[in-house]
């Protein structure tokens, strides 16, 4: 089993470890992620204010197309980009999908 996993069909984490949110890896537990709550709350508030000020909606128009495009590219990432390759397009797509690369 990989990623500190064990058990039948690698379905459990090894003793003393827990599953990382948004991943299949097992790591030692810590409460350091709690400090991220403030950052994500502020980022969400700024995003909502930005959408309200510019009178944008995510259901129609350019933003909808951009989000749809980013999701399609993200789902098919392995077909479009070499494994592990990071370039400006992959970073932009991750940001549009609110994937900031923070494992919690």
């Amino acid at each position: 089993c990989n990623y500190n996993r064990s058990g039948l069909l690698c379905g459990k984490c090894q003793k003393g470890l827990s599953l990382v949110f948004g991943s299949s890896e097992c790591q030692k537990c810590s409460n350091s992620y709690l400090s991220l709550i403030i950052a994500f709350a502020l980022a969400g508030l700024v995003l909502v204010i930005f959408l309200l000020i510019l009178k944008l909606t995510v259901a129609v128009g350019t933003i909808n197309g951009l989000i749809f495009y980013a999701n399609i590219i993200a789902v098919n990432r392995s077909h479009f980009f070499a494994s592990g390759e990071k370039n400006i397009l992959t970073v932009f797509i991750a940001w549009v999908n609110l994937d900031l690369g923070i494992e919690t």
Side-chain angles (χ1 to χ4, degrees), residues 27-39:
Q27 294 179 356
K28 187 174 180 178
C29 297
S30 72
N31 290 332
S32 62
Y33 69 91
L34 293 174
S35 62
L36 294 174
I37 292 175
I38 295 171

Side-chain angles (χ1 to χ4, degrees), residues 49-56:
I49 291 170
F50 176 75
L51 292 173
L52 289 173
I53 289 173
L54 295 179
K55 297 181 181 171
L56 299 172

